[in-house]
Amino acid sequence: MQTAAHDEDSVIEIQQVTTRFGEHMVHDAIAFDVRRAEIFALVGGSGSGKSTLLREMILLHRPDSGSIKVLGVDLQTAGNEETLALRRRWGVMFQQGGLFGALTVIENVGLALREHTELEDDLIDDIAASKLALTGLAREVGAQYPSELSGGMMKRASLARALALDPELLFLDEPTAGLDPDSAGGVDELVRTLRDRFGLTIVMITHDLDLLWQVADRVAVLAEGKVQGVGSMSELAHMDHPAIRQFFAGPRGRAAQETQQAGAQTDNRNKRPPSKPK
Ligand SMILES: Nc1ncnc2c1ncn2[C@@H]1O[C@H](COP(=O)(O)OP(=O)(O)OP(=O)(O)O)[C@@H](O)[C@H]1O
Ligand SMILES: [Mg+2]
């Protein structure tokens, strides 16, 4: 099976992707693969093109050249039916949450089910409630409006919405941004559970070094239009490359690395091996 492994194991294949906005080249022939059931992170400085790349992976923006295949479908050549089917197989949690303010939380979570399925209202509410429970929200939260939620609850609610259609692939844009350390830690656990329990493939953009050390199997570092390196955090920590060194060298980078190393010595119960891409 070794020869077929590439296609079977790759959930996303990005080849030679180039993106320009006017004169500004954001991506210069970018390439990497995301493998099935891995937690893959995209990191890089502000403006390095992470969100744009994510938008390209979910059909919200077209690269100028190159190819992106998601779940075996070439996004450039896919027809309407194929892209509709694809959109049902992935879930997206946007950075700002993206919940509709005029709908309650449970209505927000059920929205995709109403759009994409013929299920009865009662069943949709039951499914939506189960997704809320999965993300650790109390049942009563379903009746609340997004404006009534804390930052952490909002993240969980938008994650519940991303999970509504039981996706195989989950995209998360800054899942822990703006959260206090306790809430952020809860999101770490949740991301790991989703992969371990449901075999989800997860692509996340994050600046959160603790999250990266705790849950990412592999990380791609974007800088100057290129992927400067891809590997586990420990592999990257040993790479001798200016952009990658810079990423680890700041005070937050050093602190997260020290926490990780201290944790690895004293408590391995909840830690995953540094790289487990299957
Ligand atoms: N629609 C657009 N029109 C023009 N320029 C754009 C557009 N979208 C993104 N850009 C530019 O592309 C570059 C990459 O933007 P992108 O949002 O992908 O960065 P990012 O890595 O997500 O940054 P951040 O960490 O700040 O979110 C930026 O210079 C941005 O100004
Ligand atoms: Mg961004």
Side-chain angles (χ1 to χ4, degrees):
M1 288 301 288
Q2 213 40 31
T3 49
H6 179 75
D7 277 342
E8 272 179 29
D9 284 354
S10 292
V11 170
I12 301 178
E13 296 167 62
I14 297 190
Q15 286 174 358
Q16 306 302 317
V17 162
T18 296
T19 310
R20 281 186 211 86
F21 292 107
E23 293 290 291
H24 181 193
M25 187 181 288
V26 177
H27 304 133
D28 179 7
I30 281 189
F32 61 82
D33 282 9
V34 177
R35 302 166 189 159
R36 187 163 300 281
E38 82 172 333
I39 301 177
F40 188 93
L42 269 177
V43 306
S46 185
S48 59
K50 306 178 296 294
S51 293
T52 304
L53 196 54
L54 184 98
R55 288 168 56 77
E56 289 173 345
M57 290 188 247
I58 58 174
L59 287 160
L60 292 180
H61 188 81
R62 257 180 204 279
D64 292 275
S65 59
S67 98
I68 301 181
K69 267 194 193 174
V70 178
L71 296 161
V73 178
D74 186 337
L75 301 188
Q76 301 288 92
T77 56
N80 282 348
E81 268 183 38
E82 250 178 327
T83 57
L84 185 66
L86 256 186
R87 285 179 202 275
R88 296 179 52 158
R89 295 174 68 192
W90 69 50
V92 187
M93 179 180 148
F94 290 100
Q95 185 166 359
Q96 308 306 336
L99 298 176
F100 292 105
L103 301 181
T104 62
V105 168
I106 200 148
E107 287 167 348
N108 266 288
V109 176
L111 201 59
L113 290 157
R114 278 179 230 284
E115 274 173 14
H116 288 282
T117 71
E118 307 282 310
L119 299 174
E120 303 279 334
D121 284 352
D122 284 357
L123 188 52
I124 288 179
D125 283 346
D126 284 349
I127 296 171
S130 77
K131 301 302 173 188
L132 288 177
L134 181 63
T135 58
L137 288 174
R139 205 181 170 90
E140 305 82 73
V141 176
Q144 293 186 285
Y145 287 88
S147 60
E148 301 173 296
L149 306 183
S150 70
M153 290 160 84
M154 185 87 89
K155 295 272 185 202
R156 286 173 191 273
S158 54
L159 185 54
R161 190 178 64 167
L163 295 170
L165 293 167
D166 292 327
E168 296 155 63
L169 175 58
L170 191 59
F171 294 97
L172 310 173
D173 199 347
E174 297 283 5
T176 57
L179 299 186
D180 62 78
D182 273 356
S183 312
V187 173
D188 291 8
E189 284 293 321
L190 193 50
V191 168
R192 204 172 14 213
T193 302
L194 290 172
R195 191 276 304 281
D196 292 349
R197 189 142 44 114
F198 304 105
L200 278 172
T201 304
I202 297 171
V203 177
M204 60 181 187
I205 295 178
T206 183
H207 288 95
D208 179 344
L209 283 146
D210 289 321
L211 178 65
L212 289 165
W213 278 108
Q214 296 301 322
V215 311
D217 293 308
R218 290 192 309 141
V219 178
V221 183
L222 243 66
E224 289 158 13
K226 304 267 192 197
V227 172
Q228 305 288 352
V230 184
S232 66
M233 285 294 278
S234 0
E235 284 164 357
L236 290 174
H238 291 106
M239 280 184 198
D240 192 18
H241 185 290
I244 298 172
R245 293 241 62 85
Q246 193 187 351
F247 169 62
F248 283 95
R252 290 182 58 239
R254 278 198 303 274
Q257 195 170 351
E258 278 158 18
T259 309
Q260 168 70 13
Q261 281 159 355
Q265 279 158 14
T266 56
D267 179 8
N268 281 317
R269 281 170 306 170
N270 300 318
K271 300 281 180 335
R272 296 164 23 69
S275 180
K276 182 175 159 255
K278 279 222 60 162

